[in-house]
Amino acid sequence: MATIEVRNLVRAYGAVRAVDGISFSVGDGEIFALLGPNGAGKTTTVEILEGYRSRDAGTVRVLGCDPATGGAGFRARIGVVLQSAGFEEEFTVRELVRLQAGLFPRGHDADELIDLVGLGDKRTTRVKALSGGQRRRLDLALGLAGAPELLFLDEPTTGFDPAARHHAWDLIARLRGLGTTILLTTHYMDEAQQLADRVAVMSAGKLIADGSPEQLRAASDLPTVISFALPADRAMAALPRLSAPLTVTGRRVTLLSRTPVTDASLLTGWAIQHRAGLADLAVVPPTLEEVYLAMTGEGRDDRPH
Ligand code: ATP
Protein backbone atom coordinates (compact mmCIF):
# COMPACT_ATOMS: atom_id res chain seq x y z
CA MET A 1 0.00 0.00 0.00
CA ALA A 2 1.19 3.53 -0.77
CA THR A 3 2.28 5.65 2.21
CA ILE A 4 0.58 8.70 0.70
CA GLU A 5 -2.39 8.56 -1.67
CA VAL A 6 -3.90 11.84 -2.93
CA ARG A 7 -6.86 11.99 -5.36
CA ASN A 8 -8.34 15.17 -6.85
CA LEU A 9 -7.25 17.33 -3.93
CA VAL A 10 -8.64 20.87 -3.90
CA ARG A 11 -8.02 23.73 -1.49
CA ALA A 12 -9.01 27.35 -2.19
CA TYR A 13 -8.35 30.54 -0.27
CA GLY A 14 -11.22 32.79 -1.37
CA ALA A 15 -10.93 33.05 -5.13
CA VAL A 16 -7.41 31.51 -5.24
CA ARG A 17 -7.40 27.76 -5.95
CA ALA A 18 -4.07 27.14 -4.23
CA VAL A 19 -4.41 23.38 -4.89
CA ASP A 20 -6.48 22.70 -7.96
CA GLY A 21 -7.35 19.00 -8.29
CA ILE A 22 -4.03 17.18 -7.88
CA SER A 23 -3.47 13.42 -7.62
CA PHE A 24 -0.29 11.54 -6.74
CA SER A 25 0.99 8.76 -4.54
CA VAL A 26 4.18 8.11 -2.61
CA GLY A 27 5.29 4.51 -2.13
CA ASP A 28 6.66 2.92 1.03
CA GLY A 29 10.28 3.93 1.65
CA GLU A 30 10.36 6.39 -1.26
CA ILE A 31 11.98 9.83 -1.20
CA PHE A 32 9.52 12.07 -3.03
CA ALA A 33 10.36 15.70 -3.86
CA LEU A 34 7.60 18.25 -4.40
CA LEU A 35 8.93 21.09 -6.53
CA GLY A 36 7.45 24.28 -7.91
CA PRO A 37 7.80 28.05 -8.00
CA ASN A 38 6.79 30.29 -5.10
CA GLY A 39 3.05 30.21 -4.59
CA ALA A 40 2.57 26.95 -6.54
CA GLY A 41 0.65 25.29 -3.69
CA LYS A 42 3.33 23.03 -2.19
CA THR A 43 3.04 24.19 1.42
CA THR A 44 -0.75 24.01 1.30
CA THR A 45 -0.55 20.44 -0.04
CA VAL A 46 2.01 19.36 2.56
CA GLU A 47 0.05 20.93 5.42
CA ILE A 48 -3.07 19.03 4.34
CA LEU A 49 -1.05 15.78 4.32
CA GLU A 50 0.28 16.56 7.80
CA GLY A 51 -3.23 17.20 9.10
CA TYR A 52 -2.60 20.88 9.85
CA ARG A 53 -4.84 22.30 7.12
CA SER A 54 -8.32 21.37 5.92
CA ARG A 55 -9.20 20.52 2.32
CA ASP A 56 -12.22 21.51 0.24
CA ALA A 57 -12.44 18.36 -1.86
CA GLY A 58 -10.63 15.14 -2.75
CA THR A 59 -9.44 12.10 -0.86
CA VAL A 60 -6.20 11.86 1.10
CA ARG A 61 -4.76 8.78 2.83
CA VAL A 62 -1.49 9.06 4.73
CA LEU A 63 -0.20 5.91 6.47
CA GLY A 64 -3.68 4.52 5.90
CA CYS A 65 -5.37 7.38 7.81
CA ASP A 66 -7.25 10.51 6.78
CA PRO A 67 -4.98 13.22 8.21
CA ALA A 68 -8.01 15.47 8.83
CA THR A 69 -9.36 13.03 11.42
CA GLY A 70 -6.23 11.04 12.36
CA GLY A 71 -5.62 12.93 15.61
CA ALA A 72 -2.72 12.34 17.99
CA GLY A 73 -2.30 8.69 16.98
CA PHE A 74 -1.65 9.76 13.39
CA ARG A 75 0.63 12.66 14.34
CA ALA A 76 2.82 10.36 16.48
CA ARG A 77 3.66 8.39 13.30
CA ILE A 78 4.85 11.36 11.24
CA GLY A 79 7.79 13.72 11.65
CA VAL A 80 7.70 17.32 10.48
CA VAL A 81 10.81 19.45 9.96
CA LEU A 82 9.85 23.03 9.26
CA GLN A 83 12.11 25.73 7.91
CA SER A 84 12.15 27.84 11.03
CA ALA A 85 10.96 26.10 14.14
CA GLY A 86 11.01 28.28 17.27
CA PHE A 87 13.30 26.89 19.98
CA GLU A 88 13.63 27.30 23.70
CA GLU A 89 16.93 29.15 23.60
CA GLU A 90 18.06 28.26 27.13
CA PHE A 91 17.80 24.48 26.69
CA THR A 92 20.83 22.45 25.69
CA VAL A 93 20.73 20.32 22.55
CA ARG A 94 20.47 17.11 24.59
CA GLU A 95 17.69 18.46 26.82
CA LEU A 96 15.57 19.50 23.85
CA VAL A 97 16.02 16.25 21.93
CA ARG A 98 15.26 14.21 25.08
CA LEU A 99 12.12 16.24 25.76
CA GLN A 100 10.91 15.78 22.21
CA ALA A 101 11.68 12.04 22.09
CA GLY A 102 9.84 11.64 25.42
CA LEU A 103 6.62 12.86 23.77
CA PHE A 104 6.44 9.77 21.55
CA PRO A 105 5.63 6.17 22.44
CA ARG A 106 8.62 4.82 20.47
CA GLY A 107 10.95 7.81 20.58
CA HIS A 108 14.60 7.53 19.52
CA ASP A 109 17.52 7.51 21.91
CA ALA A 110 18.48 11.20 22.20
CA ASP A 111 22.24 10.71 22.13
CA GLU A 112 22.14 8.43 19.09
CA LEU A 113 19.99 10.96 17.28
CA ILE A 114 22.33 13.82 18.14
CA ASP A 115 25.23 11.80 16.72
CA LEU A 116 23.18 10.93 13.63
CA VAL A 117 22.69 14.61 12.73
CA GLY A 118 26.33 15.44 13.47
CA LEU A 119 25.84 17.49 16.63
CA GLY A 120 27.80 15.11 18.89
CA ASP A 121 30.17 17.84 20.04
CA LYS A 122 27.27 20.22 20.81
CA ARG A 123 25.28 17.99 23.18
CA THR A 124 25.63 20.32 26.15
CA THR A 125 25.59 23.57 24.16
CA ARG A 126 22.63 25.86 24.71
CA VAL A 127 20.45 26.42 21.65
CA LYS A 128 21.17 30.16 21.67
CA ALA A 129 24.84 29.38 20.98
CA LEU A 130 24.21 27.30 17.84
CA SER A 131 24.91 28.60 14.33
CA GLY A 132 22.12 28.73 11.73
CA GLY A 133 23.23 25.48 10.10
CA GLN A 134 23.54 23.75 13.49
CA ARG A 135 19.99 24.83 14.33
CA ARG A 136 18.75 23.23 11.13
CA ARG A 137 20.48 20.01 12.17
CA LEU A 138 18.71 20.28 15.50
CA ASP A 139 15.43 20.79 13.57
CA LEU A 140 16.13 17.51 11.83
CA ALA A 141 16.91 15.70 15.10
CA LEU A 142 13.63 16.97 16.59
CA GLY A 143 11.67 15.89 13.51
CA LEU A 144 13.17 12.42 13.83
CA ALA A 145 12.76 12.15 17.60
CA GLY A 146 9.55 10.13 17.39
CA ALA A 147 11.11 7.59 14.96
CA PRO A 148 8.52 8.59 12.35
CA GLU A 149 7.40 6.23 9.58
CA LEU A 150 6.97 9.27 7.33
CA LEU A 151 9.08 12.42 7.46
CA PHE A 152 8.13 15.79 5.95
CA LEU A 153 11.15 17.97 5.20
CA ASP A 154 10.51 21.57 4.22
CA GLU A 155 13.53 22.96 2.33
CA PRO A 156 15.90 21.00 4.55
CA THR A 157 19.19 22.60 3.47
CA THR A 158 18.26 26.25 2.92
CA GLY A 159 21.06 28.33 4.46
CA PHE A 160 23.52 25.42 4.74
CA ASP A 161 27.13 25.77 3.67
CA PRO A 162 28.21 23.25 0.98
CA ALA A 163 29.75 20.80 3.46
CA ALA A 164 26.64 20.90 5.68
CA ARG A 165 24.42 20.29 2.63
CA HIS A 166 26.38 17.19 1.69
CA HIS A 167 26.24 16.02 5.28
CA ALA A 168 22.45 16.51 5.31
CA TRP A 169 22.13 14.64 2.01
CA ASP A 170 24.11 11.72 3.46
CA LEU A 171 21.85 11.74 6.47
CA ILE A 172 18.66 11.79 4.39
CA ALA A 173 20.00 8.94 2.24
CA ARG A 174 20.75 7.00 5.45
CA LEU A 175 17.17 7.54 6.64
CA ARG A 176 15.97 5.99 3.40
CA GLY A 177 18.17 3.01 4.23
CA LEU A 178 16.29 2.70 7.53
CA GLY A 179 12.98 2.52 5.61
CA THR A 180 11.67 6.02 6.42
CA THR A 181 9.44 7.45 3.69
CA ILE A 182 10.33 11.09 3.03
CA LEU A 183 8.37 13.89 1.36
CA LEU A 184 10.64 16.82 0.73
CA THR A 185 10.06 20.28 -0.68
CA THR A 186 13.04 22.12 -2.09
CA HIS A 187 13.96 24.89 -4.48
CA TYR A 188 17.38 23.27 -5.10
CA MET A 189 17.16 21.07 -8.16
CA ASP A 190 20.53 19.47 -7.46
CA GLU A 191 19.13 18.39 -4.11
CA ALA A 192 16.08 16.81 -5.76
CA GLN A 193 18.27 15.16 -8.37
CA GLN A 194 20.63 13.82 -5.71
CA LEU A 195 18.01 12.53 -3.26
CA ALA A 196 14.64 11.94 -4.85
CA ASP A 197 13.42 8.63 -6.23
CA ARG A 198 10.52 10.56 -7.67
CA VAL A 199 9.80 14.22 -8.32
CA ALA A 200 6.49 16.02 -8.80
CA VAL A 201 6.32 19.55 -10.15
CA MET A 202 3.47 21.88 -9.13
CA SER A 203 2.58 25.09 -10.88
CA ALA A 204 -0.43 27.31 -10.11
CA GLY A 205 -2.12 24.58 -8.06
CA LYS A 206 -1.76 21.83 -10.69
CA LEU A 207 0.66 18.95 -10.98
CA ILE A 208 2.49 19.39 -14.27
CA ALA A 209 4.92 16.48 -14.00
CA ASP A 210 5.50 13.36 -11.90
CA GLY A 211 8.29 10.82 -12.40
CA SER A 212 11.90 9.94 -11.59
CA PRO A 213 14.44 12.69 -12.40
CA GLU A 214 15.62 10.49 -15.31
CA GLN A 215 12.08 10.09 -16.66
CA LEU A 216 11.49 13.84 -16.51
CA ARG A 217 14.75 14.47 -18.31
CA ALA A 218 13.95 11.90 -20.97
CA ALA A 219 10.45 13.33 -21.46
CA SER A 220 11.69 16.92 -21.66
CA ASP A 221 12.97 16.76 -25.23
CA LEU A 222 15.83 19.09 -24.27
CA PRO A 223 19.02 18.31 -26.19
CA THR A 224 22.30 17.02 -24.79
CA VAL A 225 25.13 19.49 -25.34
CA ILE A 226 28.20 17.88 -26.94
CA SER A 227 31.29 20.04 -27.20
CA PHE A 228 35.01 19.65 -27.90
CA ALA A 229 37.99 21.66 -29.10
CA LEU A 230 38.81 21.03 -32.73
CA PRO A 231 42.37 19.61 -32.79
CA ALA A 232 44.82 22.23 -34.10
CA ASP A 233 45.90 20.04 -37.01
CA ARG A 234 42.35 19.29 -38.24
CA ALA A 235 39.85 21.21 -40.34
CA MET A 236 36.12 21.37 -39.69
CA ALA A 237 35.52 19.67 -43.01
CA ALA A 238 37.32 16.58 -41.74
CA LEU A 239 34.78 15.97 -38.96
CA PRO A 240 32.23 13.17 -39.43
CA ARG A 241 28.65 14.04 -40.30
CA LEU A 242 26.66 14.49 -37.04
CA SER A 243 22.95 14.75 -36.25
CA ALA A 244 22.70 18.56 -35.97
CA PRO A 245 24.55 21.67 -37.18
CA LEU A 246 27.83 22.52 -35.43
CA THR A 247 28.44 25.90 -33.81
CA VAL A 248 32.04 27.08 -33.71
CA THR A 249 33.40 29.64 -31.25
CA GLY A 250 37.16 30.01 -31.67
CA ARG A 251 38.14 26.33 -31.91
CA ARG A 252 35.35 25.17 -29.60
CA VAL A 253 32.75 23.13 -31.48
CA THR A 254 29.27 22.65 -29.99
CA LEU A 255 26.38 20.45 -31.05
CA LEU A 256 22.86 20.24 -29.58
CA SER A 257 22.15 16.56 -29.96
CA ARG A 258 19.00 14.51 -29.54
CA THR A 259 20.93 11.33 -30.36
CA PRO A 260 23.94 11.84 -28.08
CA VAL A 261 25.08 8.22 -27.95
CA THR A 262 25.28 8.01 -31.74
CA ASP A 263 26.96 11.41 -32.09
CA ALA A 264 29.49 10.70 -29.33
CA SER A 265 30.22 7.32 -30.89
CA LEU A 266 30.76 8.87 -34.36
CA LEU A 267 33.07 11.49 -32.88
CA THR A 268 35.16 9.15 -30.76
CA GLY A 269 35.32 6.61 -33.60
CA TRP A 270 36.57 9.35 -35.91
CA ALA A 271 39.12 10.56 -33.32
CA ILE A 272 40.51 7.05 -32.82
CA GLN A 273 40.62 6.28 -36.52
CA HIS A 274 42.39 9.53 -37.39
CA ARG A 275 44.48 9.76 -34.21
CA ALA A 276 42.92 13.13 -33.48
CA GLY A 277 42.97 14.34 -29.89
CA LEU A 278 39.53 15.06 -28.45
CA ALA A 279 40.76 15.26 -24.87
CA ASP A 280 38.14 17.71 -23.66
CA LEU A 281 35.12 16.09 -25.30
CA ALA A 282 32.12 16.85 -23.06
CA VAL A 283 28.68 15.21 -23.30
CA VAL A 284 26.31 17.10 -21.00
CA PRO A 285 22.69 15.97 -20.71
CA PRO A 286 20.11 18.53 -19.52
CA THR A 287 20.08 18.96 -15.76
CA LEU A 288 16.91 18.60 -13.72
CA GLU A 289 17.11 22.36 -13.20
CA GLU A 290 16.99 23.02 -16.95
CA VAL A 291 14.12 20.55 -17.34
CA TYR A 292 12.28 22.21 -14.45
CA LEU A 293 12.79 25.73 -15.83
CA ALA A 294 11.57 24.67 -19.27
CA MET A 295 8.54 22.97 -17.73
CA THR A 296 7.52 25.90 -15.55
CA GLY A 297 8.14 28.40 -18.33
CA GLU A 298 10.85 30.13 -16.31
CA GLY A 299 13.81 29.00 -18.37
CA ARG A 300 16.23 31.21 -20.26
CA ASP A 301 17.06 30.33 -23.82
CA ASP A 302 20.65 29.19 -23.37
CA ARG A 303 19.71 25.61 -24.19
CA PRO A 304 17.31 25.82 -27.14
CA HIS A 305 14.41 23.37 -27.30
P1 ATP B 1 6.60 28.86 -1.62
O1 ATP B 1 7.55 28.12 -2.51
O2 ATP B 1 6.70 30.32 -1.80
O3 ATP B 1 6.66 28.41 -0.18
P2 ATP B 1 4.15 27.27 -2.06
O4 ATP B 1 4.24 26.46 -3.31
O5 ATP B 1 4.41 26.56 -0.79
O6 ATP B 1 5.10 28.54 -2.18
P3 ATP B 1 1.56 27.98 -0.92
O7 ATP B 1 2.13 28.57 0.34
O8 ATP B 1 0.88 26.67 -0.79
O9 ATP B 1 2.69 27.89 -2.06
O10 ATP B 1 0.56 29.06 -1.54
C1 ATP B 1 -0.25 28.77 -2.69
C2 ATP B 1 -1.17 29.96 -2.96
O11 ATP B 1 -2.10 30.09 -1.89
C3 ATP B 1 -0.46 31.30 -3.06
O12 ATP B 1 -1.11 32.04 -4.06
C4 ATP B 1 -0.66 31.93 -1.70
O13 ATP B 1 -0.69 33.34 -1.80
C5 ATP B 1 -2.02 31.38 -1.30
N1 ATP B 1 -2.12 31.20 0.17
C6 ATP B 1 -1.35 30.41 0.94
N2 ATP B 1 -1.73 30.45 2.23
C7 ATP B 1 -2.80 31.31 2.29
C8 ATP B 1 -3.63 31.79 3.35
N3 ATP B 1 -3.48 31.36 4.59
N4 ATP B 1 -4.60 32.67 3.01
C9 ATP B 1 -4.78 33.08 1.75
N5 ATP B 1 -4.02 32.68 0.70
C10 ATP B 1 -3.04 31.80 0.97
Side-chain angles (χ1 to χ4, degrees), residues 4 7 87 127 157 207 230 286:
I4 298 177
R7 289 285 160 260
F87 288 138
V127 170
T157 64
L207 220 58
L230 187 66

Side-chain angles (χ1 to χ4, degrees), residues 13 16 18 37-44 187:
Y13 301 106
V16 178
N38 292 134
K42 305 179 298 294
T43 307
T44 303
H187 288 294

Side-chain angles (χ1 to χ4, degrees), residues 75-223:
R75 297 229 174 111
R77 298 172 62 200
I78 65 169
V80 177
V81 181
L82 297 172
Q83 260 184 80
S84 52
F87 288 138
E88 294 292 345
E89 299 279 309
E90 296 298 328
F91 280 103
T92 66
V93 166
R94 183 193 267 139
E95 284 166 347
L96 256 189
V97 177
R98 272 203 182 139
L99 267 176
Q100 183 76 6
L103 297 175
F104 294 91
R106 49 183 207 117
H108 262 306
D109 176 80
D111 281 313
E112 276 180 22
L113 205 50
I114 291 167
D115 286 332
L116 186 72
V117 299
L119 284 178
D121 57 344
K122 299 287 176 190
R123 264 178 242 287
T124 56
T125 303
R126 288 187 200 285
V127 170
K128 64 182 177 189
L130 296 179
S131 74
Q134 290 162 349
R135 282 174 184 244
R136 299 292 288 123
R137 291 183 188 203
L138 179 56
D139 279 332
L140 199 51
L142 296 176
L144 287 170
E149 294 161 62
L150 168 64
L151 184 65
F152 292 95
L153 290 175
D154 185 20
E155 299 186 28
T157 64
T158 297
F160 278 26
D161 67 39
R165 287 185 82 202
H166 282 274
H167 185 92
W169 289 354
D170 287 346
L171 172 59
I172 293 167
R174 236 179 303 156
L175 291 176
R176 185 216 327 251
L178 298 174
T180 313
T181 305
I182 297 175
L183 190 153
L184 122 109
T185 62
T186 182
H187 288 294
Y188 298 127
M189 295 302 131
D190 56 342
E191 183 158 293
Q193 182 149 353
Q194 175 83 20
L195 291 176
D197 301 305
R198 219 142 50 77
V199 163
V201 181
M202 274 189 92
S203 178
K206 307 257 193 210
L207 220 58
I208 59 171
D210 180 356
S212 68
E214 292 68 34
Q215 283 170 334
L216 298 199
R217 280 208 300 215
S220 74
D221 199 35
L222 289 179

Side-chain angles (χ1 to χ4, degrees), residues 195-281:
L195 291 176
D197 301 305
R198 219 142 50 77
V199 163
V201 181
M202 274 189 92
S203 178
K206 307 257 193 210
L207 220 58
I208 59 171
D210 180 356
S212 68
E214 292 68 34
Q215 283 170 334
L216 298 199
R217 280 208 300 215
S220 74
D221 199 35
L222 289 179
T224 290
V225 179
I226 297 179
S227 69
F228 53 93
L230 187 66
D233 55 348
R234 307 287 153 162
M236 283 293 291
L239 288 172
R241 199 176 158 74
L242 300 172
S243 68
L246 305 179
T247 309
V248 187
T249 314
R251 292 202 71 78
R252 186 106 210 132
V253 182
T254 303
L255 163 75
L256 300 174
S257 174
R258 288 197 164 69
T259 51
V261 174
T262 307
D263 283 326
S265 164
L266 284 169
L267 269 170
T268 51
W270 171 83
I272 291 167
Q273 191 186 351
H274 296 91
R275 296 175 188 277
L278 276 188
D280 63 352
L281 173 69

Side-chain angles (χ1 to χ4, degrees), residues 49-71:
L49 301 182
E50 293 166 349
Y52 292 112
R53 196 170 283 286
S54 63
R55 60 182 187 267
D56 296 329
T59 54
V60 177
R61 306 297 285 176
V62 179
L63 296 169
C65 304
D66 182 340
T69 54

